[in-house]
Structure formats: C-alpha cells, structure tokens
Amino acid sequence: MANRQKGADRVVTDRLTANRRQLGAMLRRLREEGGKTLEDAAAHLECSPAKVSRIETGQVAVRPIDVREMLSLYEVSSARSAALLALVRQSREKKGWWKAYAEVIAEGYEFFISLEDEASVICDYQPFLVPGLLQTESYMSAVMEAYKVPPALAAQRIALREQRQSILAGDAPPQLRVVIEEQVLQRPVGDSWVMREQLRRLLEMGTRPGISIQVISVDVGLHPAEGRAFVMLGFPDPSEPKIVYLEHLNESHLLDDVDRTADYERVFSSLQSMALSLKESASLIERMSAG
C-alpha cells in the first residue's frame, strides 16, 4: 500500500512539474513576442532575472499575481490571460488533464480547453455537425473518417473529446445551451445506425438539468449567424469577460473584446428565439430517430 501511494504521489509530482514547465515555456514565448527581456520582466516584478528564468524553465512555481503582472507587461489579451491564469492554478493543483493529449492538441486549442474547463455557461451554435460535447463515439469516428484523419491520431482525438465531455457529468457541470440547424440532423454521418444512436444521445442529453438543445428549422431563412459555428463561454465571476471561440480550417481564434463578444451574445439570443422550442426540438429529433 505504501509503495502504491508513493507511486501515485510521484505521478502527481511529475504531472505538476510538467505543468510548470509548460506554463514557463508559454510565459517565455509571450515575453519574447512582447519584445521584453528577462531584465524587463525582473524589473517589473521587482525580483532578479534569475528568478524569472527559473519560472520560465519550470524550476519554481509562480504565483497568480506574478503571472498577472507579467501578462500585463507583455500586453497579452484578456482571453489569453484568462487561459494562462487557469494554467497557473492547474500547475499548483492536480488539474490539466489535457496534458496527456499534448501531441494532438493544435496550437491555441489548449487555451480553449482550459477555458471550457473553467466555464459556468457554454453556448454552442453548430450549423454542420453535432457539438463535440454531445457526440457519440461512433459519430466521432465517422467524422474522423470523413476528414481522412489517420486511425492512430483519430483515436487520440476521440479520447480527448470524450474526456472533454466529462465536464457535463461533474459535481458542478456548466450550463450547456445548444442551437443546431435541422440540416445537422439530416446530414448522414456514418451509416443509419450511427445517426440513430446520435439522435438518441441528443434526446437523452436534452433531458438533463442545465442542458438545452434547440433546432433551427429548415424553414427559417438567412439569419445573423449565417452558418458560421461559434462557442461562447461564460464564467462564474460576472466581471470576467465572455470568450468566443471560432474554429476555421487551419486556425482558431479566441475573441475577448467586450464589444465583439456582445455581438455574439445578441446573435445567440436571436438564434434561440427563432429556433424551435425545447419541446418542439425534442419532438423533431425523436421523429427523425425513429425514421
């Protein structure tokens, strides 16, 4: 038993050390991108350049207040700052589960995952596919196959997506508000069995507290979102700005400017208004799952 506990403690220690190193590397990259030297950072923090160097190499833990000061000096956006501060907390705790998937996480996507893990409200509009947090494993596999993702890489990405889904089953899950186009339900992904299973998953998830799923009928014409997917995250602290995540073919963006995110908030509210009600949406999904 003692040996097993020592082994577990060693795993946690290794994970926290890895987290600190990754955080330090990010801080070094942001410092360099901001055109600042070790001496600049040290002067701002009122410490020695050696201490800043140890932070950047992961040799020592860093306090959130120091990270805030560093990010302010480097003129890092509030979206990235929020993600980095989440990583600071994880570097001091037993968090950061996605580190195990570092090889399959695209640059910048880790920021989104860390923010998603902290969010209290997730608003997700999808015009083409079922949102990742609601996908079945079979549906994920069919998507990966359609995108020509190599099997080994696909398996890792599926595992990552399933791990992300675990936030909906936690002790304090975020509210999940989903709006999808009816075409998402009609578009074949995999065979008919895969689609029926996926539709039943939507029905089951829609009955859970804190999860709402609405469908925009094909009868609705053009609307403000114009078929462009986005995810908007809200946080427990009302003073913390909402974050909008946009994903494109070869890149992704995090928006944190209050004026721009307010536009997305208005658009999402508009989409909810024009979509079928929760009951009507569930009835439509049920009919299609039986077809």
Side-chain angles (χ1 to χ4, degrees), residues 25-287:
M26 289 181 178
L27 290 171
R28 182 182 67 253
R29 186 161 59 246
L30 291 171
R31 175 177 59 76
E32 293 171 348
E33 289 174 359
K36 304 298 180 182
T37 65
L38 282 173
E39 289 72 20
D40 293 331
H44 194 71
L45 295 177
E46 298 182 352
C47 68
S48 69
K51 178 180 177 180
V52 177
S53 178
R54 287 196 296 272
I55 289 173
E56 292 184 348
T57 55
Q59 296 177 49
V60 296
V62 59
R63 300 180 303 166
I65 188 172
D66 289 335
V67 173
R68 288 192 184 94
E69 289 297 321
M70 295 166 82
L71 297 179
S72 175
L73 175 66
Y74 307 155
E75 298 183 347
V76 176
S77 72
S78 58
R80 274 198 158 193
S81 294
L84 261 294
L85 288 168
L87 289 177
V88 173
R89 291 192 291 273
Q90 292 145 15
S91 72
R92 302 163 69 93
E93 302 170 7
K94 301 176 183 178
K95 293 186 178 181
W97 55 263
W98 50 87
K99 304 299 186 300
Y101 303 96
E103 293 182 0
V104 299
I105 295 179
E107 183 177 357
Y109 189 53
E110 181 171 6
F111 286 114
F112 170 71
I113 295 179
S114 65
L115 289 167
E116 182 183 62
D117 212 51
E118 299 277 324
S120 58
V121 180
I122 301 173
C123 299
D124 196 337
Y125 165 67
Q126 295 295 331
F128 304 117
L129 292 171
V130 170
L133 289 177
L134 300 176
Q135 291 178 5
T136 64
E137 182 178 346
S138 298
Y139 188 94
M140 295 179 210
S141 296
V143 170
M144 297 295 170
E145 183 176 351
Y147 287 177
K148 308 300 182 184
V149 179
L153 179 58
Q156 290 179 292
R157 289 184 177 176
I158 289 171
L160 170 63
R161 190 163 298 177
E162 289 179 329
Q163 185 65 44
R164 282 179 53 215
Q165 292 178 349
S166 67
I167 64 173
L168 299 178
D171 294 333
Q175 295 183 44
L176 177 62
R177 302 166 185 168
V178 169
V179 177
I180 58 177
E181 301 283 351
E182 185 175 347
Q183 292 94 321
V184 172
L185 310 177
Q186 297 172 337
R187 176 175 288 109
V189 175
D191 57 27
S192 59
W193 181 88
V194 170
M195 286 304 300
R196 279 197 299 272
E197 180 190 45
Q198 180 60 73
L199 293 173
R200 294 191 191 106
R201 168 70 66 84
L202 291 177
L203 286 172
E204 188 273 323
M205 296 298 290
T207 65
R208 296 190 182 185
I211 297 180
S212 67
I213 301 174
Q214 290 181 264
V215 179
I216 297 180
S217 169
V218 291
D219 296 329
V220 174
L222 289 176
H223 54 68
E226 297 181 359
R228 289 175 290 199
F230 66 90
V231 181
M232 183 170 60
L233 307 176
F235 303 93
D237 183 351
S239 67
E240 193 168 349
K242 290 183 171 60
I243 303 295
V244 172
Y245 176 74
L246 304 172
E247 190 173 73
H248 309 294
L249 181 61
N250 294 316
E251 59 182 348
S252 60
H253 294 289
L254 286 173
L255 303 180
D256 63 311
D257 179 83
V258 174
D259 292 333
R260 299 180 71 185
T261 57
D263 288 338
Y264 281 91
E265 193 168 6
R266 285 191 290 271
V267 166
F268 193 81
S269 179
S270 177
L271 294 174
Q272 288 180 302
S273 298
M274 68 180 59
L276 299 174
S277 68
L278 296 176
K279 184 175 181 180
E280 292 169 334
S281 297
S283 296
L284 174 61
I285 295 171
E286 186 170 15
R287 289 197 302 273

